[in-house]
């Protein structure tokens, strides 16, 4: 009601009084009068240099003198402590399981008020029940502290308070951007809001409804999950959900088409980075378009995501979705512009079905045969040709196919063929032939399609040399593989290669170096998408054993079994305890117990592996991994020989068969030379006689003998 002159006079007198001594003026929760407060504060700090003003708002004042201090959400540790304190105050003696508490505070974004509202619910329910009911968090988190302001007594009121401060354009932006589960860039925002998206995004940032993060691919904006859920409620209430979802689908298709086309080019590293940033959003949209039957969107998105997952080593995700993708496009004849993305999609689906033994292989095969495999890409054409011939593997027809393709005039065809041939030979217990084929593939590979193919071939050769016990060869290829794998963020492959370097250092007597590698890997192994933690635990166990800390070292091996047993490879036909990585880890642990444990410590591992021997070799198995079967037989035979669990001659038969199956022998306890010394010490001359009985037979030629032996012994 004052005139402009009167307002200036009042401000001047206030400033003079405040400037009599250094003064701190606190203005709390003033966002509802933000313009008036900003005007007042700007005048006061200019007129009273000794004055400092602290305002608590959800919106910056946007004046020149302002310095903004954003309040971060609580980390899991601090948030869990807050929850436990408030829950104990609400109901003394309440059970506070750490996992459930961590789940609650994580789902509530570390927001102190939301955590306090959740904690008081333990008066009437358990912590696990609170966690389960957070699916509808706004209905659950009501009835807080009666002494608190009304807007702080329910979670819905907290968010609604900020919502009511937004103008219509900002509300529309918050509603529509809530469809992004994993944040978004300005490009994503423009796809949902139009070309003026930046203005709305900036206003939502200023209102503390979006969090800004600097990421390798640029600035990214994220909503806290609580805010996003509120936005989704508003989106449905406004009747805009279908339109916003359709706009997001168009964005996902365009983004996938753009970066998927660059995945196997000189821009590979950049393409992988862009797809990594949006992979969660793209996977979310992929599930939606599969359910909606939008086949064009399915192949556009999956052809990019499948390639990205292959490069970074996240095979479980690709193989999880693959069967649903194959079924979604079954019976479809893609238009000309989608034939190539459909072929890329089918190659990934076929690869997953073959590796996991999934029943959906026939679906992918049927679609691929109908649309044809004559791709302009030599690599894709060769890949599909070999995958479609997989049902004839091991036959003369398959051998003729590999022979023909390996002499193709196109070096890309030959390189792809040799890469597949290397895997075939390795699974067929011919590591020397596998090394030869992978080496030829590497020689034919250039960097024009990005660093991945060269890096993955070096990693393949690293594993093959490790399998044969060639320490220096394995270390050489691990060192060559790592730069490319690191650039691409292939964490699991990085950890596996580094772990082999650590094992090589141990074999060469460099225990301190192996220790440094193990310590460094412990910090990153959990970031990988699959099984790298098992390799790290095994390396740590070997380091401890090398230092004479036997009990701790053997405990690490048992921890590695537990870690690998928890892994699930989606779609795999095997039972969880029969998958190769569990069997290999158990065999390594049993061999370590043979060398370092006392008495019958390890007999449980021997019993478990003995029980798996016949199922691993069963004729009914779609694919028998001969080296994995070999390492099982080796570990069992080694125990039986050194602990007299079987007659020495039978134990040695197991070892000889394991050798013929080219078992993996890189770990110190798995070395063949040490087993030979055991044989000469315990049963002199018997090993040579048993070896002669098998007349040099190797690989699949030994399977019938192996089955009969195992059937008799176990």
């Amino acid at each position: 009601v004052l005139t402009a002159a009167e307002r200036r006079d009042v401000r001047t007198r206030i400033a003079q009084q405040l400037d009599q001594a250094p003064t701190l003026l606190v203005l709390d929760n003033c966002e509802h009068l933000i313009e008036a407060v900003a005007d007042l504060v700007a005048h006061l700090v200019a007129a009273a240099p000794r004055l400092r003003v602290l305002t608590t708002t959800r919106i910056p004042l946007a004046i020149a003198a302002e310095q903004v201090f954003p309040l971060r959400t609580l980390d899991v540790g601090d948030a869990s402590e807050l929850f436990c304190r408030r829950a104990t105050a609400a109901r003394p003696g309440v059970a506070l399981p750490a996992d459930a508490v961590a789940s609650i505070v994580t789902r509530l974004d570390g927001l102190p008020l939301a955590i306090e509202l959740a904690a008081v619910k333990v008066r009437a329910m358990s912590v696990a029940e609170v966690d389960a009911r957070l699916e509808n968090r706004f209905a659950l988190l009501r009835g807080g502290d009666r002494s608190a302001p009304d807007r702080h007594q329910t979670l819905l009121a907290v968010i609604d308070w900020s919502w009511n401060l937004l103008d219509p354009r900002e509300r529309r932006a918050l509603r529509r951007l809530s469809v992004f589960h994993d944040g978004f860039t300005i490009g994503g925002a423009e796809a949902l809001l139009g070309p003026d998206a930046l203005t709305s995004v900036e206003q939502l940032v200023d209102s503390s409804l979006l969090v800004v993060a600097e990421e390798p691919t640029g600035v990214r904006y994220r909503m806290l999950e609580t805010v996003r859920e509120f936005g989704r409620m508003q989106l449905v209430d406004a009747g805009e959900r279908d339109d916003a979802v359709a706009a997001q689908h168009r964005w996902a298709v365009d983004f996938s088409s753009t970066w998927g086309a660059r995945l196997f080019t000189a821009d590979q590293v950049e393409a992988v980075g862009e797809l990594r940033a949006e992979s969660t959003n793209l996977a979310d949209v992929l599930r939606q378009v599969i359910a909606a039957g939008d086949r064009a969107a399915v192949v556009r998105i999956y052809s990019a995501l499948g390639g990205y997952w292959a490069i970074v080593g996240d095979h479980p995700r690709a193989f999880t979705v693959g069967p649903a993708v194959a079924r979604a496009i079954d019976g479809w004849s893609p238009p000309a512009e989608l034939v190539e993305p459909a072929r890329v999609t089918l190659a990934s689906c076929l690869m997953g079905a073959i590796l996991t033994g999934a029943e959906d292989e026939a679906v992918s095969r049927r679609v691929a045969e109908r649309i044809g495999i004559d791709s302009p890409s030599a690599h894709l054409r060769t890949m599909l040709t070999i995958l479609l011939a997989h049902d004839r593997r091991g036959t003369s027809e398959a051998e003729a196919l590999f022979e023909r393709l390996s002499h193709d005039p196109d070096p890309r065809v030959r390189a792809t063929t040799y890469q597949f041939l290397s895997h075939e030979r390795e699974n067929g217990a011919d590591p020397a032939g596998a090394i030869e084929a992978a080496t030829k593939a590497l020689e034919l590979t250039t960097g024009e399609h990005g660093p991945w193919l060269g890096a993955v071939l070096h990693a393949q050769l690293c594993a093959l040399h490790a399998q044969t016990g060639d320490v220096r060869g394995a270390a050489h290829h691990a060192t060559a593989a790592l730069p490319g794998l690191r650039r691409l963020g292939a964490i699991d492959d990085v950890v596996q290669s580094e772990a082999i370097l650590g094992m090589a250092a141990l074999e060469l007597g460099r225990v301190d170096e192996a220790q440094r590698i193990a310590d460094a890997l412990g910090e990153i192994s959990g970031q990988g998408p699959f099984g790298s933690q098992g390799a790290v635990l095994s390396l740590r166990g070997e380091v401890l054993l090398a230092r004479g800390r036997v009990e701790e070292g053997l405990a690490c091996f048992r921890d590695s079994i537990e870690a690998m047993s928890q892994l699930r490879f989606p779609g795999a036909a095997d039972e969880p305890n029969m998958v190769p990585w569990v069997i290999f880890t158990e065999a390594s642990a049993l061999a370590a117990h043979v060398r370092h444990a006392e008495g019958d410590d390890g007999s449980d591992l021997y019993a478990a592996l003995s029980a798996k021997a016949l199922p691993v070799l069963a004729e009914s198995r779609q694919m028998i991994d001969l080296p994995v079967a070999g390492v099982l037989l080796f570990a069992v035979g080694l125990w039986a020989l050194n602990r007299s669990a079987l007659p020495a001659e039978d134990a040695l038969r197991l070892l000889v068969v394991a050798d013929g199956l080219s078992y993996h022998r890189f770990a110190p306890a798995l070395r063949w030379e040490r087993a030979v010394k055991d044989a000469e010490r315990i049963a002199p001359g018997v090993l040579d006689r048993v070896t002669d009985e098998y007349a040099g037979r190797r690989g699949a030629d030994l399977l019938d003998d192996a089955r009969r032996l195992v059937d008799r012994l176990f």
Side-chain angles (χ1 to χ4, degrees), residues 228-269:
R228 197 178 70 79
E229 188 169 325
F230 180 91
R232 290 173 61 193
M233 292 169 51
Q234 297 297 327
L235 186 66
V236 172
D237 290 346
E240 298 176 4
R241 180 186 178 280
D242 290 347
D243 183 63
V245 167
Q248 187 193 30
H249 290 186
R250 290 192 295 273
W251 162 82
V253 168
D254 290 344
F255 188 92
S256 300
S257 299
T258 297
W259 292 106
R262 298 168 67 179
L263 258 181
F264 296 96
T265 70
D267 299 327
Q268 185 175 73
V269 173

Side-chain angles (χ1 to χ4, degrees), residues 126-141:
S126 70
V127 171
E129 288 171 333
V130 174
D131 188 25
R133 289 174 179 267
L134 282 180
E135 292 299 326
N136 190 356
R137 68 188 66 196
F138 294 116
L140 175 67
L141 302 185

Side-chain angles (χ1 to χ4, degrees), residues 402-421:
F402 276 116
E403 178 68 17
R404 175 173 62 81
L405 293 175
S406 65
H407 288 87
D408 192 277
D410 189 330
R412 187 75 167 135
V413 171
R414 298 200 302 277
T416 304
T417 302
Y418 281 125
Q419 187 176 12
F420 272 90
L421 188 57

Side-chain angles (χ1 to χ4, degrees), residues 161-180:
W161 175 262
S162 295
W163 172 261
N164 289 327
L165 296 173
L166 302 178
D167 64 30
R169 184 175 65 177
E170 294 161 3
R171 292 181 184 181
R172 175 179 179 270
L174 183 64
R175 289 194 301 264
R176 293 175 70 86
L177 293 173
S178 69
V179 300
F180 285 108

Side-chain angles (χ1 to χ4, degrees), residues 209-228:
L209 292 168
L210 289 180
V211 178
V212 183
E214 289 278 356
E215 299 192 357
T217 54
V219 172
R220 194 167 186 83
Y221 305 90
R222 298 183 184 276
M223 287 184 191
L224 298 180
E225 182 62 23
T226 302
V227 174
R228 197 178 70 79

Side-chain angles (χ1 to χ4, degrees), residues 180-186 188 201 205 210-223 251 255 273-282:
F180 285 108
H181 284 206
D182 194 35
F184 53 88
T185 63
I186 283 297
V201 167
V205 171
L210 289 180
V211 178
V212 183
E214 289 278 356
E215 299 192 357
T217 54
V219 172
R220 194 167 186 83
Y221 305 90
R222 298 183 184 276
M223 287 184 191
W251 162 82
F255 188 92
E274 293 289 342
L275 286 164
R276 176 181 291 109
E278 298 293 357
S279 60
T280 301
N281 284 328
L282 294 176

Side-chain angles (χ1 to χ4, degrees), residues 630-670:
V631 79
L632 183 156
L633 297 182
F634 179 87
V636 169
L638 191 67
W639 174 276
L641 178 66
N642 283 273
R643 297 295 192 273
S644 301
L646 293 172
E649 184 168 329
D650 286 335
L652 290 173
R653 288 182 188 280
L654 289 170
L655 294 178
V656 170
V657 171
D659 182 48
L661 296 178
S662 297
Y663 78 94
H664 196 300
R665 59 195 72 194
F666 193 62
L670 294 171

Side-chain angles (χ1 to χ4, degrees), residues 253 289 293-301 329 332 335 338 341:
V253 168
V289 296
D294 186 349
R295 291 160 159 175
V298 168
V299 298
R300 286 290 192 191
I301 298 171
I329 62 177
W332 179 51
L338 291 179

